[in-house]
């Protein structure tokens, strides 16, 4: 099966306007085909599924892999026969020239022939947009022109989003396809959230407040769990002097967060109303409006508020910074230093990696270990090794490795689990982000404890405590205390388990699902 390539797809989508596609595919929302002024309909759900997969995963696919994807319960030979019938239906609807291949491989024709709304949406909501123009100066007009053109393309693209990918389509007996479809849907929602956040802030900066409010309202309607979206909307209303409306939206925000996350608004949201006139309220930076994980896997309020209201320059202990650069650590270097990532790209967003990571966590919470492992492996495929993306607070690739290690352990693959956890720690040291490293160290420490290597566990917890102390991360100090207490109890310290239980009780109210997954596993396995 071909590996998705967002770079290839973006390049193809951008070339689309220079040609004349003969067929248009609308996949965002209920699927629809347009060809020569007509709207041919597909009879079978699997034909729609096959069309979407070929459209969104460019390149040739073997017939065997497609048959296994859509008819996993059937022998491959029978699956190939059914695939042949679905391809015949696609050729009838699209035209013979739109389906290319031979008796072994198949692909959808290039975008010069077939236009796909999802690919156009993806290309023109590119996470990397031109910088806003300076307030004044010689270059302001030329920079502003490119910036506004990018915003205009983005605005047209979000109008293409009519609803979830293949809305209403479900194939119960094809779990691999369902996992793929879930990941795709989540990826497009995340991209829409980011695009609407940018549009709301960009239109406000350009003085187009009606458009800014429209995008902000759509953002909170689509992602009611996304508190930065509420902050954007409330901030805009306050800047326009519409305080009563802003208070109404705050009430809606409270109810939405309670329903979606069982949480209260952050201090940063409430601070928009605390004794400030509209003119005094700072405009929110669009780069800080980060997409949140869906309900059950969001970070805790304490951790999220810490990342939103703290300094933009994260700090780590000197020993950690040295290891991230491949230098020896110094026992005397105790002052925190800024995280160093000069050799790495941190500006690239990979929403598909985030979507698959979220999907894997959902499977793991339901003990669907095979699906979880496949999703975490998909995260590693979707995010190249050289790309670091901290838009969710941690690097998706390192986090996926850590969670894959947990999944492997629960599947009985203990050796592979420890090796994967060590790879995650190595990746995290290279990333140079304290939370990413804390995640990886916690996972590796838990697996060491499960493997009866308590001495190594204590080494990991000491490093987590060091990071927590230097970076004002109290919940991570609790996590390290809980883990070290269990390790000390295993080594014969009778008071260790009491300290661990006390820390775990306090931690349960403050930490997110990813961390709790590890500690709950350890707790079940510790006498």
């Amino acid at each position: 099966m071909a590996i998705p390539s967002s770079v290839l797809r973006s390049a193809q989508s951008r070339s689309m306007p220079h040609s004349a596609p003969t067929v248009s595919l609308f996949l965002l929302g209920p699927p629809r085909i347009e060809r020569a002024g007509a709207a041919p309909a597909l009879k079978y759900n699997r034909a729609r599924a096959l069309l979407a997969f070929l459209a969104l995963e460019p390149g040739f696919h073997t017939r065997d892999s497609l048959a296994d994807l859509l008819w996993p319960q059937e022998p491959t030979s029978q699956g190939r026969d059914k695939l042949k019938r679905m391809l015949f239906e696609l050729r009838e609807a699209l035209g013979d020239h739109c389906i290319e291949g031979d008796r072994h491989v198949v692909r959808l024709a290039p975008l010069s022939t077939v236009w796909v709304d999802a690919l156009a949406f993806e290309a023109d909501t590119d996470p990397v947009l031109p910088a806003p123009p300076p307030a004044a100066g010689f270059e302001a007009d030329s920079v502003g022109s490119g910036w506004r053109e990018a915003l205009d393309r983005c605005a047209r693209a979000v109008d293409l989003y009519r609803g979830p990918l293949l809305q209403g389509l479900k194939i119960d007996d094809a779990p691999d396809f369902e996992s793929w479809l879930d990941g795709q849907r989540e990826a497009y929602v995340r991209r829409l959230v980011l695009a609407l956040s940018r549009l709301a802030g960009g239109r406000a900066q350009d003085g187009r407040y009606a458009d800014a409010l429209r995008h902000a309202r759509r953002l909170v309607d689509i992602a009611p769990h996304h508190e930065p979206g509420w902050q954007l909307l409330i901030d805009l209303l306050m800047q326009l002097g519409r305080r009563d409306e802003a208070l109404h939206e705050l009430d809606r925000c409270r109810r939405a967060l309670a329903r979606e996350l069982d949480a209260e608004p952050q201090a940063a949201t409430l601070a928009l109303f605390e004794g400030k006139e509209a003119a005094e309220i700072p405009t929110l930076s669009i780069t800080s409006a980060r997409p949140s994980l869906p309900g059950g896997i969001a970070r805790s309020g304490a951790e999220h508020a810490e990342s939103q209201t703290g300094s933009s320059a994260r700090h780590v202990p000197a020993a950690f910074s040295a290891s991230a650069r491949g230098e020896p650590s110094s026992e005397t270097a105790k002052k925190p230093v800024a995280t160093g990532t000069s050799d790495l790209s941190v500006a690239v967003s990979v929403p598909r990696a985030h979507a698959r990571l979220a999907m894997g966590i959902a499977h793991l919470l339901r003990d669907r270990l095979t699906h979880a492992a496949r999703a975490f492996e998909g995260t590693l495929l979707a995010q190249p090794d050289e790309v670091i993306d901290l838009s969710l607070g941690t690097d998706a690739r390192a986090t996926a490795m850590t969670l894959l290690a947990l999944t492997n352990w629960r599947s009985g693959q203990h050796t592979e689990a420890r090796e994967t956890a060590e790879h995650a720690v190595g990746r995290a040291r290279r990333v140079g982000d304290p939370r990413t490293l804390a995640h990886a160290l916690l996972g590796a420490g838990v697996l060491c404890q499960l493997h009866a290597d308590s001495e190594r566990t204590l080494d990991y917890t000491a490093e987590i405590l060091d990071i927590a102390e230097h970076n004002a991360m109290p919940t991570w100090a609790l996590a390290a205390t809980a883990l070290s207490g269990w390790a000390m109890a295993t080594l014969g310290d009778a008071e260790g388990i009491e300290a661990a239980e006390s820390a775990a009780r306090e931690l349960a109210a403050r930490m997110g699902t990813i961390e709790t997954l590890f500690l709950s596993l350890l707790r079940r396995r510790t006498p």
Side-chain angles (χ1 to χ4, degrees), residues 317 460-470 476-481 484:
Y460 284 131
T461 57
E463 192 169 355
I464 296 174
L465 284 169
D466 191 28
I467 294 171
E469 178 184 354
H470 284 80
W476 287 102
L478 286 173
T481 300
S484 63

Side-chain angles (χ1 to χ4, degrees), residues 63-65 67-68 71 74-81:
R63 288 178 178 249
D64 286 352
S65 69
D68 291 341
W71 295 276
E74 303 279 359
T76 301
S77 59
Q78 294 182 22
R80 283 178 63 104
D81 289 340

Side-chain angles (χ1 to χ4, degrees), residues 471-492:
N471 294 278
M473 295 161 55
T475 52
W476 287 102
L478 286 173
T481 300
L483 181 54
S484 63
W486 278 313
M488 291 168 63
T490 303
L491 293 173

Side-chain angles (χ1 to χ4, degrees), residues 4 80 130 162 203 271 386 394 404 434 452 456 491 513:
R80 283 178 63 104
R162 299 173 297 118
R203 295 309 195 197
E386 68 274 9
T394 58
L404 180 59
R456 183 65 172 150
L491 293 173
T513 301

Side-chain angles (χ1 to χ4, degrees), residues 86-232:
M86 295 302 103
L87 289 171
F88 177 79
E89 183 177 3
L90 292 185
R91 287 191 171 98
E92 286 284 297
L94 306 177
D96 287 341
H97 62 290
C98 291
I99 303 296
E100 301 177 349
D102 55 27
R103 58 193 299 267
H104 300 292
V105 296
V106 176
R107 75 167 182 179
L108 190 69
L111 291 173
S112 58
T113 301
V114 180
W115 178 85
V116 183
D117 66 341
L119 298 186
F121 168 79
E122 186 170 342
D124 287 329
T125 54
D126 192 320
V128 182
L129 288 177
F138 180 75
E139 297 182 353
D141 290 341
S142 60
V143 173
S145 176
W147 176 68
R148 291 184 182 91
E149 286 178 6
L151 286 178
D152 289 343
R153 289 196 305 271
C154 189
R156 289 192 295 270
V158 298
D159 288 340
L160 292 173
Y161 192 95
R162 299 173 297 118
L165 182 70
L166 297 183
Q167 186 172 359
L169 185 140
K170 186 174 180 60
I171 303 178
D172 292 326
D173 56 351
D176 285 349
F177 174 78
E178 284 292 317
S179 293
W180 174 84
L181 182 57
D182 287 344
Q184 294 286 324
R185 284 171 172 166
E186 183 64 29
Y188 284 116
V189 170
R190 289 187 185 283
R191 184 174 282 269
L192 179 63
V193 166
L194 180 60
L196 290 171
S197 297
R198 281 217 174 93
L199 282 169
R203 295 309 195 197
Q205 185 170 344
D206 208 24
R208 297 171 58 175
Y209 291 105
D211 288 342
L213 283 172
R214 177 169 55 85
H215 294 308
R217 292 188 191 282
R218 186 181 180 192
L219 170 58
V220 299
D221 287 342
I222 288 171
H225 63 276
H226 182 65
E227 191 168 355
W230 290 103
Q231 292 173 350
L232 273 170

